[in-house]
């Protein structure tokens, strides 16, 4: 009797696990089919093959004006592609050249806090890799957790903390994109970091370095959260970038990143934080940011 009872319990448990696995695989299949469909739509509009991909953060979209443009494509023209809803994010791909280097530039990104699933948040990065980009240059506007930072500083990202935002690799692995358990010990490429340091010295740009943490947003961090981030070793905090870096690292891209420190985070700043303040600070830092990014990309 005991054996039969155990068998009765075993069957529903196995069925439940099978249903969970099938649901996961079906969802991941949909994610991949959506990605391939988006790539196909872009390819119907342009055959441009980029070497580097650049993601422009809040207030930094004007950099696209310095690109020798071959073509542009609005996110809204790609069926199923997530559309940015944040002020300061134009929402389009720019294909062209920085010096002699072919690039694809995201003029505005999508964020998890906009309500998109994390698979949509990283879809653009995956798409740019499948278009041919081998290098990913991530930028963002961030709050300074390190009290020695000042508004307008540029910080090269040496590492990140991702435990506060959803990991884009959760669920069945897409083996065609990368391994199940990607190593994260060197996400931000050492060679690219050297290039950034050399470019900053040549352009006489003071460059901070540190650890970036992504939180979900859209609310800014509380003073207690900022103190926690400081204890964890974070130097800057924002609402993007890390999920993109994880997805790109999964696909084998070389990655570098720069944060524009737009203000000191809550508890370190004497005034309440606003998105307008972030955009204004990013605009002020834009000339040196443009100069640094251009020099780095040219050296690729």
């Amino acid at each position: 009797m005991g054996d039969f009872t155990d068998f009765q319990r075993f069957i529903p448990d196995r069925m439940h696990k099978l249903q969970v696995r099938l649901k996961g695989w079906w969802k991941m299949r949909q994610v991949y089919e959506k990605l391939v469909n988006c790539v196909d739509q872009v390819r119907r509009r342009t055959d441009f093959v980029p070497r580097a991909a650049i993601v422009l953060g809040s207030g930094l979209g004007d950099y696209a004006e310095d690109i020798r443009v071959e073509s542009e494509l609005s996110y809204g023209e790609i069926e199923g592609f997530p559309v940015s809803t944040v002020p300061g994010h134009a929402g389009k791909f720019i294909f062209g050249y920085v010096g002699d280097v072919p690039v694809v530039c995201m003029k505005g990104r999508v964020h998890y806090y906009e309500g998109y699933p994390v698979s949509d948040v990283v879809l653009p990065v995956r798409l740019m890799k499948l278009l041919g980009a081998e290098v990913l240059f991530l930028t963002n506007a961030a709050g300074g957790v390190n009290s020695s930072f000042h508004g307008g500083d540029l910080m090269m990202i040496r590492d990140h903390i991702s435990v506060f935002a959803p990991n884009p690799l959760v669920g069945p692995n897409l083996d065609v994109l990368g391994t199940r358990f990607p190593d994260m010990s060197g996400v931000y490429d050492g060679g690219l970091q050297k290039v950034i340091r050399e470019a900053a010295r040549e352009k006489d740009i003071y460059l901070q370095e540190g650890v970036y943490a992504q939180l979900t947003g859209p609310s800014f961090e509380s003073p207690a959260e900022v103190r926690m981030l400081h204890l964890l070793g974070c130097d800057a905090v924002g609402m993007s970038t890390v999920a993109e870096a994880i997805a790109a690292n999964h696909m084998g891209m070389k990655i570098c990143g720069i944060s524009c420190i737009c203000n000191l985070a809550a508890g370190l700043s004497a005034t309440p934080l606003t998105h307008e303040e972030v955009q204004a600070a990013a605009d002020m830092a834009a000339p040196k940011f443009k100069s640094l990014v251009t020099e780095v990309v040219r050296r690729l």
Side-chain angles (χ1 to χ4, degrees):
M1 186 67 180
D3 291 342
F4 182 70
T5 303
D6 291 341
F7 179 74
Q8 287 179 307
R9 292 172 181 164
F10 172 80
I11 291 299
D13 179 64
R14 293 287 290 181
M15 288 298 295
H16 174 71
K17 289 180 179 178
L18 179 60
Q19 288 174 341
V20 169
R21 289 186 65 185
L22 289 175
K23 184 178 180 180
W25 281 112
W26 176 248
K27 181 178 179 181
M28 197 55 60
R29 178 185 175 90
Q30 290 178 308
V31 167
Y32 183 66
E33 288 180 348
K34 183 176 185 178
L35 171 62
V36 171
N37 182 50
C38 288
V39 172
D40 287 344
Q41 290 183 68
V42 174
R43 275 287 165 247
R44 286 198 290 270
R45 291 167 171 81
T46 177
D47 58 0
F48 189 88
V49 179
R51 182 182 177 199
I54 307 171
V55 180
L56 299 176
S58 296
L60 302 174
D62 286 348
Y63 177 76
E65 297 174 2
D66 293 351
I67 296 175
R68 192 167 82 250
V69 177
E70 291 289 318
S71 61
E72 300 184 7
L73 180 61
S74 171
Y75 301 162
E77 297 179 58
I78 308 171
E79 183 182 355
F81 196 88
V83 178
S84 179
T85 63
V86 182
H89 290 257
K92 60 182 177 180
F93 286 114
I94 309 292
F95 298 91
Y97 293 87
V98 175
D100 294 325
V101 180
V103 303
V104 54
C105 179
M106 282 187 72
K107 193 174 181 181
R109 55 157 52 92
V110 293
H111 304 79
Y112 182 68
Y113 65 72
E114 294 177 78
Y116 291 110
V118 70
S119 58
D120 274 0
V121 173
V122 301
L123 187 154
V125 168
R126 287 171 167 167
L127 181 148
M128 291 188 292
K129 166 63 175 174
L130 293 181
L131 291 179
E134 297 295 334
V135 174
L136 176 64
F137 199 145
L138 295 165
T139 73
N140 60 56
V145 176
N146 189 322
S147 59
S148 69
F149 287 4
H150 302 88
D153 284 353
L154 299 182
M155 185 195 84
M156 182 180 73
I157 303 174
R158 287 200 313 258
D159 204 348
H160 68 232
I161 290 179
S162 64
V163 296
F164 304 108
N167 190 308
L169 306 184
V170 169
N173 186 54
L174 284 169
D175 294 333
V176 68
L177 299 183
T179 183
R180 167 78 279 188
F181 301 107
D183 177 67
M184 301 295 292
S185 58
V187 175
Y188 301 92
D189 184 78
L192 294 178
Q193 290 185 46
K194 182 179 179 181
V195 170
I196 292 174
R197 292 188 190 102
E198 291 173 349
R201 281 195 297 270
E202 182 170 310
K203 294 294 182 179
D204 196 26
I205 295 172
Y206 181 66
L207 184 68
Q208 303 277 19
E209 298 185 18
V211 176
Y212 175 90
Q214 178 181 351
L215 274 65
T216 62
S219 56
F220 288 109
E221 303 73 37
S222 72
E225 289 170 335
V226 172
R227 290 195 297 272
M228 173 193 68
L229 292 171
H230 177 71
L231 290 173
L232 292 176
C234 298
D235 297 288
V237 60
M239 306 172 189
S240 66
T241 302
V242 173
E244 297 161 335
I246 292 172
N249 181 65
H250 180 238
M251 296 182 74
M253 299 185 80
K254 289 186 175 182
I255 304 161
C256 61
I258 294 180
S259 296
C260 176
I261 307 300
C262 292
N263 49 30
L264 291 180
L268 301 177
S269 173
T271 58
L273 306 179
T274 67
H275 184 66
E276 289 73 22
E277 177 188 10
V278 170
Q279 287 184 285
D283 288 342
M284 289 183 63
K288 63 180 178 181
F289 168 80
K290 290 180 180 180
S291 176
L292 181 58
V293 172
T294 297
E295 185 61 28
V296 171
V297 174
R298 282 176 175 168
R299 290 172 181 240
L300 296 179

